[in-house]
């Protein structure tokens, strides 16, 4: 039996108790939380932290918080914003606690990449065939690797903007940054990504 | 406009954040400069790749452990209740 179906079978229905004889609107169940949000939380944490085990720790921490506080949410947009905030905060706290990698150590090799003939890299990109709507596994792995290699302060903004699709103002609120700083870091992150990925586009070129 | 000036406005250009006159200036430059046109193309391509990247499938064993954690929470309703009441 798959983990998901196991949870579905044993899920707790976290409905609010009746008040004044009238039931409150049904809320999410633990089953729904697991189905709808576990992978999303895991992905955000995995891409921010770059480690499977760390991502699992954060996912568990956030899932338990979600299930404990389900009754406090009534609107999907409110819940979605909160979910991002809790996950980002947990990932940032985890990173601080572990202090595995200093930003200086991470940024040096990437700075070197940027300095390496970015112009010719961009030309290689434009001469290759446009990407397909579905990325093949090789390209996915290359992109994930490039994300992991980003310095954390750029990676956070990049993941939230270009992968999670959050607006700059919301990212600024999550990371306690001004919008100009968000834009600056996002631009820098995209240049890093381009420098890292450009050489590989020719390799996966078709035709 | 120089290529350096173009590069400084690249993000705003791609995001549509420039005023009409500035946007026209950059468009004119890009039409005349293949290198800067390529810069725009590759930059936009990186953005599209980020949008296309699918979710990573969490490892099955990780899902199993997460499931176990939720079930453990189910078996400790008093902890959940205490937490619920503290948030109200």
């Amino acid at each position: 039996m798959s983990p998901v179906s196991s949870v579905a079978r044993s899920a707790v229905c976290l409905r609010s108790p009746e008040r004044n004889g009238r039931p409150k609107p049904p809320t999410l169940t633990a089953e729904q939380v697991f189905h709808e949000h576990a992978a999303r939380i895991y992905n955000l944490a995995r891409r921010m932290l770059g480690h499977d085990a760390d991502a699992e720790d954060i996912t568990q921490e956030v899932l338990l918080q979600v299930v404990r506080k389900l009754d406090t949410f009534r609107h999907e947009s409110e819940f979605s914003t909160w979910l991002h905030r809790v996950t980002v905060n947990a990932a940032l706290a985890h990173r601080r606690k572990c202090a595995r990698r200093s930003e200086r150590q991470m940024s040096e090799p990437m700075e070197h990449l940027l300095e390496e003939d970015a112009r010719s890299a961009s030309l290689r990109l434009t001469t290759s065939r446009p990407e397909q709507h579905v990325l093949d596994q090789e390209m996915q792995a290359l992109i994930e690797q490039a994300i992991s290699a980003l310095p954390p302060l750029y990676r956070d903004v990049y993941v939230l903007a270009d992968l999670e699709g959050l607006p700059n103002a919301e990212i600024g609120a999550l990371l306690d940054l001004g919008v100009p700083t968000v834009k600056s870091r996002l631009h820098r992150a995209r240049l890093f990504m381009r420098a890292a990925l450009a050489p590989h586009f020719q390799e996966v070129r078709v035709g | 406009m120089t290529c350096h000036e173009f590069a400084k406005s690249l993000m705003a250009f791609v995001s549509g954040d420039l005023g009409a006159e500035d946007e026209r200036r950059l468009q004119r430059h890009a039409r005349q400069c293949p290198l800067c046109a390529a810069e725009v193309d590759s930059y936009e391509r990186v953005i599209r790749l980020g949008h296309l990247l699918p979710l990573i499938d969490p490892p099955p064993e990780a899902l199993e452990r997460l499931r176990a954690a939720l079930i453990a929470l189910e078996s400790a309703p008093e902890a959940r209740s205490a937490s619920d009441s503290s948030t109200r």
Side-chain angles (χ1 to χ4, degrees):
Chain A
M1 180 180 293
S2 73
V4 171
S5 61
S6 298
V7 166
R9 182 173 53 80
S10 60
V12 186
C13 184
L14 297 176
R15 293 171 189 276
S16 301
E18 292 189 5
R19 291 177 182 167
N20 301 325
R22 301 177 65 182
K24 293 176 69 176
T27 57
L28 281 173
T29 63
E31 168 196 358
Q32 289 170 312
V33 168
F34 189 79
H35 276 292
E36 296 174 16
H37 301 292
R40 186 115 221 139
I41 295 166
Y42 180 90
N43 271 261
L44 177 52
R46 171 69 179 76
R47 285 167 174 159
M48 283 183 69
L49 298 171
H51 294 275
D52 288 330
D54 292 346
E56 183 182 340
D57 288 346
I58 298 304
T59 304
Q60 176 170 327
E61 180 182 331
V62 173
L63 277 177
L64 295 183
Q65 282 196 58
V66 169
V67 170
R68 286 174 178 136
K69 297 185 178 179
L70 281 175
D71 281 353
T72 64
F73 296 97
R74 286 292 172 267
H75 304 288
E76 178 58 32
S77 59
E78 181 188 29
F79 179 73
S80 177
T81 301
W82 179 81
L83 197 59
H84 273 120
R85 188 168 66 244
V86 171
T87 306
V88 168
N89 286 344
L92 293 176
H94 189 84
R95 184 187 291 154
R96 281 193 296 268
K97 189 172 69 177
C98 295
R100 285 198 178 96
R101 302 168 295 276
S102 71
E103 288 181 1
R104 178 175 297 176
Q105 286 173 325
M106 290 299 293
S107 62
E108 282 172 354
M110 297 302 291
E111 293 290 349
H112 175 70
L113 251 184
L114 268 191
E115 291 162 7
E116 181 191 300
D117 198 0
R119 283 274 179 174
S120 61
S122 67
L123 278 179
R124 286 198 296 275
L125 270 175
T126 57
T127 53
S128 59
R129 179 173 170 152
E131 64 278 359
Q132 299 171 341
H133 288 298
V134 178
L135 298 175
D136 62 31
Q137 288 189 338
E138 181 187 8
M139 182 53 65
Q140 288 177 35
L142 289 170
I143 298 171
E144 295 289 355
Q145 188 179 0
I147 294 170
S148 294
L150 284 172
L153 78 166
Y154 300 129
R155 191 194 313 150
D156 295 343
V157 172
Y158 174 78
V159 167
L160 291 170
D162 282 0
L163 274 57
E164 295 292 319
L166 299 186
N168 291 337
E170 192 170 330
I171 295 169
L174 284 170
L175 299 177
D176 197 23
L177 300 172
V179 170
T181 305
V182 172
K183 287 183 177 179
S184 168
R185 289 187 184 183
L186 177 57
H187 180 57
R188 196 81 174 153
R190 287 169 175 168
L191 295 181
F192 278 135
M193 291 295 292
R194 185 172 69 179
L197 293 174
H200 300 287
F201 275 98
Q202 286 189 319
E203 294 175 14
V204 297
R205 186 176 177 181
V206 179
Chain B
M1 165 170 283
T2 66
C3 293
H4 180 68
E5 290 170 333
F6 187 93
K8 286 174 66 176
S9 298
L10 176 60
M11 184 187 192
F13 181 62
V14 168
S15 305
D17 290 342
L18 291 176
E21 178 55 32
D22 285 337
E23 185 167 331
R24 276 194 294 273
R25 287 177 60 231
L26 265 74
Q27 284 173 342
R28 272 199 302 272
H29 180 84
R31 278 197 296 271
Q32 297 163 358
C33 177
L35 287 176
C36 287
E39 287 281 304
V40 174
D41 191 74
S42 60
Y43 192 86
E44 289 179 329
R45 188 164 183 180
V46 167
I47 296 171
R48 284 198 301 276
L49 285 174
H51 294 166
L52 288 171
L53 192 63
L55 291 179
I56 304 166
D57 288 327
E61 60 274 22
L63 285 173
E64 181 60 40
R65 287 189 288 267
L66 292 168
R67 176 192 71 87
L70 285 177
I71 291 175
L73 184 67
E74 176 189 19
S75 66
E78 65 283 355
R80 192 174 65 242
S81 299
S83 175
D84 286 349
S85 61
S86 68
T87 62
R88 289 174 184 147

